[in-house]
Amino acid sequence: MNIFLSADHHRHDPPFEILDGKTVPYFETPQRVTIILAALQAAGFAPPVTAPPATIAELATVHTPDYLDYLAHAYERWQAAGLRGPVMPSAWPLPGLRVRSDCPQAAAGRYTFDLSAPITAGTFAAARASAGAALAGAAALLQGEQFAYALCRPPGHHAAANLAGGYCYLNNAALAADRLARATATADTTWTLRAPAVAVLDIDYHHGNGTQSIFYERNDVLTVSLHADPAREYPYFLGYADERGAGAGEGYNLNIPLPAGTGDSEYLAALAQALQAIADYGPRYLVVSAGFDTFHADPLGDFELTTAAYRAIGAAIGQLGLPTLIVQEGGYAIEALGTNVATLLDGVISHADE
């Protein structure tokens, strides 16, 4: 399995976030990558390949030009206005309010939907490098590789076309899926629109609201997500079972919300439902948004998965037989994170031909 690394991830290291009304240390730390790399090395995986950062043109296939300009210059504009610390919003242009001001404080509210995506001097460079790792993984599949893993940091599945949030700035999985879908359409004009070229399977504890919104009206990418019920858990405003897509994308979005306390057997049963839906649609490629905050000890989740579950999850994914890119998303139980990642990847490659 090819492993692709975002070398500049350490440049994004905010000092804090605001979680449920409290200022707390930032959970999404550079240490996550160090721990994962050590576990992969110990498990005998090949050394990672450092991917080049994504270009602005590549990012613009999914993200809007104004949003990319904001990410590129938000921190310097914040500093130039005499503001200190990381860029964070304090007001949002909700319905009934007018979007008129371009001052840094207003821009932060316009392009960020929560308080867990602060922007520092190195955030955009880190996010571009993270996106580059995912795009390198997609390129590997297009070149004939069966599996690839993109060790992306910061993660991406909460980032919409023009919004940051949930530790996410650029949607790594969506960028990779879009590249695979476009390549399929270019290479094979007979590819039926009924069968999406790519499926995105999101197994993070939190719903990938950004990924859903990016593809919600498209029928070339099927999005399937297992996650905590948004009626009680972040991101609250998307991720419900009745969200099935719209326009051309109607029927190409599947959400499977799960209750608190979901354990191995319940999760694997839901995963089987998700994988059957993917198999029924018959895509050519699979992109997995792999979050490990479903682990029983994760500080940001309330599922009860064990390490053994990740091998079973990986095995089930591998048995689909699709060229598969696994993109790193969440997972904040630091002590177990590396082992859980290595276990899932080993499950994928060990059971692909069964």
Side-chain angles (χ1 to χ4, degrees):
M1 177 182 288
N2 290 322
I3 298 172
F4 297 96
L5 176 66
S6 56
D8 285 338
H9 76 91
H10 62 281
R11 297 181 63 183
H12 174 65
D13 190 13
F16 64 89
E17 62 179 292
I18 298 176
L19 179 65
D20 296 334
K22 298 178 181 178
T23 301
V24 299
Y26 204 63
F27 278 100
E28 204 285 291
T29 66
Q31 186 184 10
R32 298 175 67 242
V33 169
T34 303
I35 287 172
I36 292 171
L37 286 176
L40 294 179
Q41 181 180 15
F45 285 87
V49 175
T50 300
T55 66
I56 298 300
E58 288 172 327
L59 299 177
T61 59
V62 162
H63 294 287
T64 63
D66 61 312
Y67 175 62
L68 295 175
D69 178 77
Y70 167 74
L71 289 180
H73 301 291
Y75 186 76
E76 65 185 70
R77 290 169 180 165
W78 190 262
Q79 295 293 307
L83 302 166
R84 295 294 175 260
V87 179
M88 295 187 76
S90 58
W92 288 266
L94 297 175
L97 302 177
R98 300 178 67 184
V99 181
R100 300 180 68 178
S101 174
D102 289 325
C103 75
Q105 299 96 320
R110 180 177 179 181
Y111 293 110
T112 312
F113 66 83
D114 66 15
L115 296 171
S116 61
I119 295 175
T120 67
T123 295
F124 189 52
R128 284 183 58 192
S130 188
L135 290 170
L141 298 193
L142 292 172
Q143 292 163 6
E145 297 293 332
Q146 183 70 8
F147 302 115
Y149 168 61
L151 180 43
C152 293
R153 182 186 176 271
H157 73 148
H158 293 305
N162 62 349
L163 283 172
Y167 306 143
C168 302
Y169 305 86
L170 298 170
N171 196 311
N172 307 311
L175 285 160
D178 179 79
R179 172 165 291 188
L180 292 167
R182 291 176 187 273
T184 300
T186 300
D188 185 357
T189 57
T190 67
W191 188 247
T192 172
L193 288 178
R194 176 61 184 138
V198 185
V200 177
L201 171 66
D202 194 321
I203 57 172
D204 193 275
Y205 172 80
H206 303 95
H207 176 252
N209 56 289
T211 308
Q212 173 175 305
S213 67
I214 287 167
F215 295 118
Y216 203 64
E217 297 185 18
R218 287 174 56 170
N219 59 9
D220 55 344
V221 177
L222 170 71
T223 51
V224 180
S225 179
L226 292 76
H227 51 269
D229 192 336
R232 64 177 179 84
E233 185 56 271
Y234 182 93
Y236 305 112
F237 305 115
L238 283 178
Y240 294 87
D242 62 355
E243 296 161 6
R244 299 289 290 139
E250 185 174 355
Y252 290 82
N253 188 82
L254 173 63
N255 289 324
I256 305 176
L258 298 170
T262 293
D264 291 4
S265 60
E266 298 91 347
Y267 193 90
L268 292 171
L271 178 67
Q273 177 188 348
L275 295 179
Q276 185 60 59
I278 291 171
D280 290 345
Y281 273 84
R284 290 194 173 179
Y285 298 99
L286 177 66
V287 175
V288 180
S289 274
F292 296 83
D293 38 6
T294 49
F295 187 59
H296 67 87
D298 198 277
L300 297 183
D302 60 15
F303 287 179
E304 296 294 333
L305 269 61
T306 66
T307 294
Y310 295 111
R311 184 175 299 278
I313 292 168
I317 290 170
Q319 288 168 9
L320 274 181
L322 294 172
T324 299
L325 169 63
I326 299 163
V327 177
Q328 183 66 44
E329 300 286 0
Y332 310 100
I334 294 294
E335 296 80 4
L337 178 58
T339 299
N340 289 341
V341 171
T343 299
L344 183 137
L345 297 184
D346 185 64
V348 170
I349 60 179
S350 298
H351 296 80
D353 297 324
E354 292 186 0

